[in-house]
Every structure is written in structure tokens, then in C-alpha cells.
Amino acid sequence: MELKRAAEGEKGFEKVFAFLRERLLAGSLKPGDRLISERELATLLGVSRPIVREALRALTVLGIVEIRDRIGTVVTRPDVSVLNDFFTFALAQQADMLDDVMQARVAIECQAIRLACDRANIADFERLQRALAKIGETIDEADAGGMADFEFHRAIVVASHSETLSVLHSSMAGLLTHSHRSRRELVQGFPSMKTYLIDDHRRIFEAVIARDPERADATLRKHFAIGDEYRRRAVVGDIDKTSASG
Amino acid sequence: MELKRAAEGEKGFEKVFAFLRERLLAGSLKPGDRLISERELATLLGVSRPIVREALRALTVLGIVEIRDRIGTVVTRPDVSVLNDFFTFALAQQADMLDDVMQARVAIECQAIRLACDRANIADFERLQRALAKIGETIDEADAGGMADFEFHRAIVVASHSETLSVLHSSMAGLLTHSHRSRRELVQGFPSMKTYLIDDHRRIFEAVIARDPERADATLRKHFAIGDEYRRRAVVGDIDKTSASG
DNA sequence: TTATCCTACTGGTCTGACCAAGATCAGACC
DNA sequence: GGTCTGATCTTGGTCAGACCAGTAGGATAA
């Protein structure tokens, strides 16, 4: 009943995790810094090494820290790829989460395209144009087509020059691309699909070129809405009897 | 020198993690299932218990699994709230990017308010109304006022009924509230501030009530823009010589 | 049949140990 | 004197066995 671990009232793992989180959030531990050794950390916090390892492993899967064999533990620049892990698991067991995440993606992209209208440079325009061209070229290929589609949308976010939006977007994209392929196949049969894909993206591109945030946002938003509509119809088996471009 | 660990060529942790991931992704382990005990897992995979714990802890922070003290480890329903941990860490290390994070917040809220127009129920409306009232009541208090402001915006996101948007928003809000207070104090001196705060939020509220996504989005967006403008002026020391309501 | 108690089991943690390999520095060699 | 080499220290990676504290369920007593 010593007051040793009652210091924070936390259990061992929590104690270590909280200790590290504190410094991480406060900024006293920045990317590139090397943590003190596991043994030191253990004695410092009055816990055993396995517990310290649990905490470090936890931070590792969160992409906050990297444990380098025989070197030490260093703080890394957070990497979105972690989210891929999560989404992979999550998606496997809960497909209904897709629509919800999609909403977040729409949010990010619509904001990104507004910023892009203001901040995009020549290189961004060129990247968009290349992606647009690729969409046209791969219009008949489900796989490559999906990739081209993704690259276009990715280019929009990149053009926003916002690190945060970029991070958020790529984390969602990882999850969504999985479903994208099947969705695309589902929708492949619609003749009007090609027109929709090409024209829509071209209109979006033009709005960015025109540096018109309102139009770009609206066009992109409509693009997503139409995509949803297509998918909805494909699900109910409504075989192409519309141009659905409104 | 048994062929113990050569089984997969993976290190201990990886072995356990991969083992569990496999069953998780394959679906043989579904939410609600209870894993075999740590000890069994350890002997089964030929690793020590601390290693098993590392893997379980890893899955825990990923929100895939829940370790219940003295009960066992059970598979949980994946929950987006894990992302909160990640984003909190990730965004914290880019403190210089508060404006950038703010862009993401705008993105989330503007999307949320659109969804809210469609999905909000009576309870949501009431929550918004209460928050709105509180903004009026606390208009002269920097601290409580900031809190009320936050609650209103939070209510918008809640009304979207999107778990993902909600999680993203709260991780950002956590970071932004810090700066919010100082911002608010900075701006406190402006007489026209009160009008801006009250009227703007009321207009936003009305747009949601009217279930008009476009208007709501536009109004909210303008609200953010004006807030930015105030802050900008406060920084350059331009003491209130405008109504700035355009 | 019911209520209580005991025991096996579970997670939570610690101790102390061994291994392999990078880091470091002293001493040998050029 | 400078460079190279090797022993040693340190670090992560892992293991084995142990103890605690509750929980669940079977055995036992009422």
C-alpha cells in the first residue's frame, strides 16, 4: 500500500502512456528526438520494462514513435499510413462506416478545392490536367480508371497546399479506394457513366483554373452527389435510363 | 535452436499481431468474440506473454479489441474515436499550423451543417438553441463566452449525426480551443464584436432550422471569414472602425 | 432448491536474466 | 600523430516464472 503508484492513480500502462503523451503534446518531445532507454523510463516511472514496451508499442501503432532495434526509440513525424491499419480492420467488420467516412472526405475535398482556387500554382494545374487526361484515357478500365480518378481528387487536395487537409484526405482515401473499385465495377455498365466521369472532372478542373471557389465547390459537390446517385441506382438495378447530369 | 520462430520468419510481436489480424480480417474473429487467454495465445504461438500483451495492446489502441481486466480480451466494434488519439498527436506537432488545422475544422463544420440540415432532430435543434442562448448570456465573459461558442459549433457537428465528422471535429477542437481563448481576448475590445457573435450564430441557427443546406453552409462560412477578419485587424491594431458585417 | 464458499482462471505486473547487434572508446598498428 | 580494430557498454527483443487481485463457476452446505 505504498503511495508509489498512487502518484497519479493510474495503472502502469496508463502512467507511462500519459507521461509520454504529455511531453508529446506539450512539444517537449518533437519528431526526431530520441527517448530515453526503456530501462531508464521503467525505473523513472517505477514500472517494469514490459509495461514500458506496451506503451511504446502503443505509440508505435499510432505512428507517433518508432522503435529502432538496438538504437532506441525516436519520435517520428506522424504518418497517415497508421490510419490505414485502422481502416483496414474497421472496414472488415463494419462496412456501413463507409458512407460516414465518405462524408468526411467530401468535407475535406470541398474545402481543399476552395483553397486550391486561391493557392494552386502552375505545377498544381499541370498535375490536375494530367490526371484529367488520364481519366479520359482509362475510361474503359475499371482498375486504372479508378486510379486515375483517385489521382485527380488527390491532386485537388495537394493543390490546396494544406498539410492538414492532405493528411486527413489521404487517410480517408486509403479506406475509400478499396470500396471504390467495387463501386466502379458496379457502375461500369452505365453508358452515361463515361460522360459523367469525363465531363464532371473537366468542369471541376475548369472551375479551379478559373479560380472560382464557389463554382468549384458546388461543382465538386454535385459530382459527389451524382456519383452517389449512380451507385444508388446500380444497387436497385435501375439500368441506365437517364442522363442524370442535372 | 528449434525452428520455433522461423515458422513465419516474423519477430515475436509481428507473429502475434499477424496471427490476430488474419482472423480479424477473415472474419473468424468478429466483434463480441472473446479471444483465448493471453497465456494460451503465448504458448500457442511460441512467444512469451509480454509479447502477446504488446500485440493486444496494439490492437487496443487501434480500437479493434478491448482488454477487460480479469475477464479476457474481446473483439470490439471498430469505433472512429480511435482516430482522435492519432489526430491529437499528429496535429499537436504542427503547432505552427493552427491556421491550417482551422481550415480542416471549417471543412468539417461546413459539411456537418449541411448534413445537419437534413438529419437534425428536435433534440438537436434544442441543443443548438440552448447554445445560442448561452452565447447571448455570456457575451461579456471571455472564458464562458468561448465555451458557449464552442458548444454551439459542437452542436452543429453533433446534429450531423456523423460519427466520423464528430471525431475529426473534436480532435481539432481540442487543439484549437487553446488558441481560441487568446484569440477571443484579443478581439474582446471590438464593440461590433458582440453583434457579430450573436447575430451570426442566430443566422446560422435559422438556416439549420429552415433546413437549407446551401444557406447554412454559406452563412457558416461567412461567419468563419468574418472571425478571421476580426482577428487580422486585432493583430494589426486596427481598433474598431467598422461594422465589418459584409 | 438455494445460497454460500472455494478454486481455477484471467488480466496486470514485476523481477531478473540472456541474446544480438549498434555505439563508443581505448589501445594497437601504420 | 593519425587511423584502424576490437572489447565493452548500451539498447532493443525476448523469455521464464512468479505473485496479486478479482471473476466465474462449480462444489458444498443449509
Side-chain angles (χ1 to χ4, degrees), chain A residues 40-70:
Chain A
E40 285 181 274
L41 211 44
T43 61
L44 175 63
L45 296 178
V47 299
S48 67
R49 198 147 83 93
I51 301 301
V52 171
R53 298 211 95 236
E54 279 185 39
L56 293 181
R57 190 67 83 173
L59 290 173
T60 298
V61 300
L62 284 177
I64 315 296
V65 126
E66 186 184 346
I67 305 180
R68 295 189 187 154
D69 198 354
R70 275 151 259 140

Coordinates of all heavy atoms in Angstrom, one line a residue, chain A residues 40-70:
Chain A
E40 N 15.6 3.0 -18.5 CA 15.6 4.3 -17.7 C 14.1 4.7 -17.5 O 13.8 5.1 -16.4 CB 16.3 5.4 -18.5 CG 17.8 5.2 -18.5 CD 18.5 6.3 -19.2 OE1 18.7 6.2 -20.5 OE2 18.8 7.4 -18.6
L41 N 13.4 4.6 -18.6 CA 12.0 5.0 -18.5 C 11.3 4.2 -17.4 O 10.4 4.7 -16.6 CB 11.3 4.8 -19.8 CG 10.2 5.7 -20.3 CD1 10.5 7.2 -19.9 CD2 9.9 5.5 -21.7
A42 N 11.6 2.9 -17.4 CA 11.0 2.0 -16.4 C 11.3 2.4 -15.0 O 10.4 2.6 -14.2 CB 11.4 0.6 -16.7
T43 N 12.5 2.6 -14.7 CA 12.9 3.0 -13.4 C 12.4 4.4 -13.0 O 11.9 4.6 -11.9 CB 14.4 3.0 -13.2 OG1 15.0 3.9 -14.1 CG2 15.0 1.6 -13.5
L44 N 12.4 5.2 -14.0 CA 11.9 6.6 -13.8 C 10.5 6.6 -13.4 O 10.1 7.4 -12.5 CB 12.1 7.4 -15.1 CG 11.6 8.9 -15.1 CD1 12.3 9.7 -14.0 CD2 11.7 9.5 -16.5
L45 N 9.7 5.8 -14.0 CA 8.3 5.8 -13.7 C 7.8 4.7 -12.7 O 6.7 4.6 -12.4 CB 7.5 5.7 -15.0 CG 7.7 6.8 -16.0 CD1 6.9 6.6 -17.3 CD2 7.2 8.1 -15.4
G46 N 8.8 4.0 -12.3 CA 8.5 3.0 -11.3 C 7.7 1.8 -11.8 O 6.9 1.3 -11.1
V47 N 7.9 1.5 -13.1 CA 7.2 0.3 -13.7 C 8.2 -0.6 -14.3 O 9.4 -0.3 -14.4 CB 6.2 0.8 -14.7 CG1 5.1 1.7 -14.1 CG2 6.9 1.4 -15.9
S48 N 7.7 -1.8 -14.7 CA 8.7 -2.7 -15.3 C 8.8 -2.5 -16.8 O 8.0 -1.8 -17.4 CB 8.1 -4.1 -15.1 OG 6.9 -4.3 -15.8
R49 N 9.8 -3.1 -17.3 CA 10.1 -2.8 -18.7 C 9.0 -3.3 -19.6 O 8.7 -2.6 -20.6 CB 11.5 -3.4 -19.1 CG 12.1 -2.9 -20.3 CD 13.6 -2.8 -20.3 NE 14.2 -4.1 -20.6 CZ 14.6 -4.4 -21.9 NH1 14.4 -3.5 -22.8 NH2 15.1 -5.5 -22.1
P50 N 8.5 -4.5 -19.4 CA 7.4 -4.9 -20.3 C 6.3 -3.9 -20.4 O 5.7 -3.7 -21.5 CB 6.9 -6.2 -19.6 CG 8.1 -6.7 -18.9 CD 8.9 -5.5 -18.5
I51 N 6.0 -3.2 -19.3 CA 4.9 -2.2 -19.3 C 5.4 -1.0 -20.2 O 4.6 -0.5 -21.0 CB 4.7 -1.7 -17.9 CG1 4.2 -2.9 -17.0 CG2 3.6 -0.6 -17.9 CD1 3.0 -3.6 -17.5
V52 N 6.6 -0.6 -20.0 CA 7.1 0.4 -20.9 C 7.0 0.0 -22.3 O 6.6 0.8 -23.2 CB 8.6 0.8 -20.5 CG1 9.2 1.7 -21.5 CG2 8.7 1.3 -19.1
R53 N 7.3 -1.2 -22.6 CA 7.2 -1.7 -24.0 C 5.8 -1.6 -24.5 O 5.6 -1.3 -25.7 CB 7.8 -3.1 -24.1 CG 9.2 -3.2 -23.7 CD 9.9 -4.3 -24.5 NE 10.6 -3.8 -25.7 CZ 10.4 -4.2 -26.9 NH1 9.5 -5.1 -27.2 NH2 11.1 -3.7 -27.9
E54 N 4.9 -1.9 -23.7 CA 3.5 -1.8 -24.1 C 3.1 -0.4 -24.5 O 2.5 -0.2 -25.6 CB 2.5 -2.2 -23.0 CG 2.4 -3.7 -22.8 CD 1.4 -4.1 -21.7 OE1 0.4 -3.4 -21.6 OE2 1.6 -5.0 -20.9
A55 N 3.6 0.5 -23.7 CA 3.3 1.9 -24.0 C 4.0 2.3 -25.3 O 3.4 3.0 -26.2 CB 3.7 2.8 -22.9
L56 N 5.2 1.9 -25.5 CA 6.0 2.3 -26.7 C 5.3 1.7 -27.9 O 5.2 2.3 -29.0 CB 7.4 1.9 -26.5 CG 8.2 2.6 -25.5 CD1 9.6 2.2 -25.4 CD2 8.2 4.1 -25.7
R57 N 4.9 0.4 -27.7 CA 4.3 -0.3 -28.8 C 3.0 0.4 -29.2 O 2.6 0.5 -30.4 CB 4.0 -1.7 -28.4 CG 3.6 -2.6 -29.6 CD 4.7 -2.8 -30.6 NE 5.6 -3.8 -30.2 CZ 6.6 -4.3 -31.0 NH1 6.8 -3.8 -32.2 NH2 7.4 -5.2 -30.6
A58 N 2.3 0.9 -28.2 CA 1.0 1.6 -28.5 C 1.3 2.8 -29.3 O 0.6 3.1 -30.3 CB 0.3 1.9 -27.1
L59 N 2.3 3.6 -28.9 CA 2.7 4.8 -29.6 C 3.1 4.4 -31.0 O 3.0 5.2 -32.0 CB 3.7 5.6 -28.9 CG 3.2 6.2 -27.6 CD1 4.4 6.8 -26.8 CD2 2.2 7.3 -27.9
T60 N 3.7 3.3 -31.1 CA 4.2 2.8 -32.4 C 3.1 2.6 -33.4 O 3.1 3.1 -34.6 CB 5.1 1.5 -32.3 OG1 6.2 1.8 -31.5 CG2 5.5 1.1 -33.7
V61 N 2.1 1.9 -33.0 CA 1.0 1.6 -33.9 C 0.2 2.9 -34.2 O -0.5 3.0 -35.2 CB 0.0 0.6 -33.3 CG1 0.7 -0.8 -33.1 CG2 -0.7 1.0 -32.1
L62 N 0.3 3.9 -33.3 CA -0.3 5.2 -33.6 C 0.6 6.0 -34.5 O 0.2 7.1 -34.9 CB -0.6 5.9 -32.3 CG -1.7 5.4 -31.4 CD1 -1.9 6.2 -30.1 CD2 -3.0 5.5 -32.2
G63 N 1.8 5.5 -34.8 CA 2.6 6.2 -35.7 C 3.3 7.4 -35.1 O 3.8 8.3 -35.8
I64 N 3.3 7.5 -33.8 CA 3.9 8.6 -33.1 C 5.4 8.4 -32.9 O 6.2 9.3 -32.8 CB 3.3 8.8 -31.7 CG1 1.8 8.7 -31.8 CG2 3.7 10.1 -31.1 CD1 1.1 9.7 -32.7
V65 N 5.8 7.2 -32.8 CA 7.1 6.8 -32.3 C 7.6 5.6 -33.1 O 6.8 4.9 -33.7 CB 7.0 6.5 -30.8 CG1 7.6 5.2 -30.5 CG2 7.7 7.6 -30.0
E66 N 8.9 5.5 -33.2 CA 9.4 4.4 -33.9 C 10.5 3.7 -33.1 O 11.4 4.4 -32.6 CB 10.1 4.8 -35.3 CG 10.5 3.7 -36.1 CD 11.2 4.2 -37.4 OE1 11.1 5.4 -37.7 OE2 11.9 3.4 -38.0
I67 N 10.3 2.4 -32.9 CA 11.3 1.7 -32.1 C 12.3 1.1 -33.0 O 12.0 0.2 -33.8 CB 10.6 0.5 -31.3 CG1 9.5 1.1 -30.4 CG2 11.6 -0.2 -30.4 CD1 8.8 0.0 -29.6
R68 N 13.6 1.5 -32.9 CA 14.6 1.0 -33.7 C 15.5 0.1 -33.0 O 16.1 0.4 -32.0 CB 15.5 2.2 -34.3 CG 14.7 3.1 -35.1 CD 15.6 4.1 -35.8 NE 14.8 5.1 -36.5 CZ 15.2 6.4 -36.8 NH1 16.4 6.7 -36.4 NH2 14.4 7.2 -37.5
D69 N 15.5 -1.1 -33.5 CA 16.3 -2.2 -32.9 C 17.7 -1.8 -32.5 O 18.4 -1.4 -33.4 CB 16.3 -3.4 -33.8 CG 16.6 -4.7 -33.0 OD1 16.9 -4.6 -31.8 OD2 16.5 -5.8 -33.6
R70 N 18.0 -1.9 -31.3 CA 19.3 -1.7 -30.8 C 19.8 -0.2 -30.9 O 21.0 0.1 -30.8 CB 20.3 -2.6 -31.5 CG 20.4 -4.0 -30.8 CD 20.8 -5.0 -31.8 NE 19.7 -5.7 -32.3 CZ 19.5 -6.1 -33.5 NH1 20.3 -5.7 -34.5 NH2 18.5 -6.8 -33.8

